[in-house]
Structure formats: structure tokens, C-alpha cells
Amino acid sequence: MSESFDFDVWQGVYEPAADTYLLLDAITINPTDSVLDVGCGAGLASLVAASKAKRVVSIDISFLAVRNTSENLRKNGLEQNVSVLQSDLFIGLSDDVKFTMMMFNPPYLPADDMNTEMDHALIGGPEGSELTERFVKEAATHMGNNGRLYVVVSSLANTDAIIKTFNENNFQVEQVNETPLFFEKIQVLKGVFKGHKETVL
Ligand SMILES: C[S@@+](CC[C@H](N)C(=O)[O-])C[C@H]1O[C@@H](n2cnc3c(N)ncnc32)[C@H](O)[C@@H]1O
């Protein structure tokens, strides 16, 4: 990432870390892209997307994160082509809103319970993979053929279940970036949507 931004991270919002930068190094954004930044956090990926793409929608389940992203976009004069909204994945979007590119650095640690303020940004479910699986399944509704989806996965989570979900939902999947991180390995998976499967009666 070569851009630099005037950027604040508010208390209670995820601070960009190695996984954020691994994702940003792996993505491509074209001037014609309509981008969805899922789990935007403080909004670093949204700033990058806003400076390159035609249109950006940034969503986060945390209202604090949504406000932090909006403020960072405003400070950098990049709010014109971006909508920021609080949403649990796609719940706040109507089905006819489509994207050519989506990215998500999700909570991916395995744990049964959420106990601290930051857990919503870190815990992906009992196997670490549940939220990402839900994201991949629901993403297909909002993508046209050959739409690209980038997601960070961790070796601490059930990566096989995530890859299976990509395959079952007609995404061609490949690993496009990887780095070791303390006791885990994090990767970026890229899925290219191959269209809705036809039901033959
Ligand atoms: C690991 S942080 C990543 C933040 C930012 N994208 C980054 O890379 O620095 C994960 C983000 O996902 C958000 N999140 C968690 N569950 C979500 C959900 N169900 N829908 C939307 N966002 C969610 C969290 O609030 C958090 O901001």
C-alpha cells in the first residue's frame, strides 16, 4: 500500500494490523469497480477503495466503527463516492445491490463466547470460521459473474470449511497472499464468482 492518509483509530475500534495490510497487499481495485468493504473497522481499506473505485459501500456491525470510518473518509475528502452503514453482513442491503469486488478481514479466532469489548472484531465463532462461511454464502446474492471476493483466513480457524463453502457456492478459490504470525499463519483467499447454479427440474 503506497497511499498515506490522515487516519485516526477510536478506542473500541480494531486498529489496522498485519492482517489488514496482508489484505490490502493482495487486492486489486479498478476504476470501474463497485466495492463492498465488510467489517470496515476504522476504514483504512475503505479509504484505499474510495481513492480508486467508482463506488464504495462500507459496512460494520459496530456503530462506533461506522462513525470512525465516516470521520476518516471526511478528513481525507473521500466521502463523495462512499456510503457507510451499520449492518450485520448483508442484512442492511437490499438484494438488488450488486458489487464487482468485496473484501473482508473478519473476526477469525475460535471461541464459544464473547466477553470483552473487542471480541466482536476478533472471534469468528466456535471454529473461527462460522462468520466467514455465512459471509461467503450470502455474498453470492450480491455479485455478478466474475465478481471478486477477498477474505482473510487463519490457520487457527477451520479453513477447510471455508474453502468448502466457496466451492459449494460456485466460487473459484485460490490463495493470493500468506504470512506467518506468532502461533498462526494468515492467508488471503480470493474467490471469483462463477454465477448462480441453475436448478434443473
Ligand atoms: C478484524 S476487524 C477488521 C477491521 C478492518 N477491516 C481492518 O482490517 O483493519 C473485523 C471487523 O468486522 C466487524 N464485524 C464483526 N462481525 C460483523 C458482522 N456480522 N457484520 C459486519 N461487520 C462485522 C467488527 O466490528 C470489526 O470492525
Side-chain angles (χ1 to χ4, degrees):
M1 199 185 78
S2 55
E3 300 93 336
S4 65
F5 300 104
D6 185 1
F7 189 75
D8 287 331
V9 183
W10 295 2
Q11 198 176 357
V13 178
Y14 187 82
E15 175 148 14
D19 44 14
T20 313
Y21 296 106
L22 194 76
L23 178 64
L24 290 175
D25 275 349
I27 58 174
T28 55
I29 300 178
N30 307 315
T32 54
D33 269 329
S34 181
V35 172
L36 179 66
D37 180 15
V38 181
C40 54
L44 186 57
S46 295
L47 288 165
V48 173
S51 66
K52 293 183 176 169
K54 185 170 75 179
R55 178 97 202 107
V56 181
V57 176
S58 308
I59 59 176
D60 203 293
I61 199 165
S62 152
F63 185 57
L64 205 55
V66 165
R67 286 182 45 220
N68 193 169
T69 291
S70 299
E71 182 56 17
N72 278 326
L73 286 162
R74 192 197 59 74
K75 279 205 310 185
N76 289 275
L78 286 168
E79 71 273 43
Q80 291 89 348
N81 59 338
V82 189
S83 304
V84 189
L85 56 125
Q86 184 181 22
S87 179
D88 176 0
L89 295 185
F90 299 94
I91 285 175
L93 299 175
S94 79
D95 282 357
D96 52 3
V97 180
K98 308 285 179 201
F99 300 93
T100 56
M101 189 276 205
M102 293 184 194
M103 54 185 157
F104 191 17
N105 175 19
Y108 51 65
L109 296 179
D112 289 325
D113 301 312
M114 301 212 185
N115 296 312
T116 73
E117 199 193 352
M118 280 304 289
D119 279 353
H120 66 90
L122 303 174
I123 294 174
E127 299 206 327
S129 59
E130 287 84 351
L131 183 66
T132 304
E133 290 174 58
R134 206 186 116 208
F135 165 65
V136 172
K137 269 186 216 149
E138 294 176 12
T141 307
H142 295 275
M143 291 209 122
N145 286 5
N146 295 316
R148 295 115 59 214
L149 181 163
Y150 297 85
V151 67
V152 179
V153 300
S154 160
S155 54
L156 298 175
N158 187 345
T159 309
D160 288 346
I162 294 169
I163 291 173
K164 187 163 171 265
T165 307
F166 268 114
N167 290 329
E168 285 173 352
N169 288 276
N170 227 13
F171 284 91
Q172 201 173 64
V173 62
E174 62 172 324
Q175 182 206 300
V176 289
N177 217 351
E178 176 183 33
T179 193
L181 194 71
F182 304 108
F183 303 107
E184 62 181 317
K185 182 176 73 179
I186 51 171
Q187 305 174 329
V188 178
L189 297 181
K190 176 184 179 186
V192 177
F193 186 52
K194 291 298 162 193
H196 296 279
K197 285 183 180 161
E198 289 187 20
T199 308
V200 180
L201 298 174

